[in-house]
Amino acid sequence: MSEYRHGRVSRPRRPWYARALHLKHLYLSNVWCVLLFEGSIALAVLMALTELVSWWVVLLLPLAVAGMVKLNDIIAGTLERHG
């Protein structure tokens, strides 16, 4: 970790999904970010096309997934401090 602080090694750039959610304790790879974000949109569109749900789900499901990922990050942070 000290290599990052002293500038000897460049810190790897995090995916935009992780940066947008301000994740501090979870380190998601690019593949996981694509699966979580675009996968939730694709699933919502498929469910809406088959008329299982309303088209509002296309907007709500990615937000719900992002909320669960952020909640998981918060829980991981509290467990890291107390565990």
Side-chain angles (χ1 to χ4, degrees):
M1 190 69 163
S2 64
E3 292 87 10
Y4 291 129
R5 290 186 193 139
H6 298 297
R8 289 182 229 145
V9 178
S10 64
R11 188 176 297 265
R13 188 159 169 89
R14 297 180 74 188
W16 70 268
Y17 189 72
R19 286 190 316 241
L21 293 176
H22 299 288
L23 300 179
K24 296 177 184 159
H25 305 286
L26 295 180
Y27 298 99
L28 301 175
S29 67
N30 290 330
V31 174
W32 277 111
C33 290
V34 167
L35 286 175
L36 288 170
F37 181 66
E38 294 179 11
S40 64
I41 292 174
L43 179 65
V45 168
L46 284 174
M47 289 185 346
L49 284 173
T50 58
E51 296 181 359
L52 292 175
V53 295
S54 172
W55 280 97
W56 283 102
V57 173
V58 177
L59 297 174
L60 295 179
L61 187 64
L63 291 175
V65 170
M68 288 295 140
V69 170
K70 184 61 180 176
L71 181 64
N72 192 359
D73 182 57
I74 292 169
I75 291 171
T78 58
L79 290 178
E80 193 174 273
R81 276 186 247 129
H82 297 293

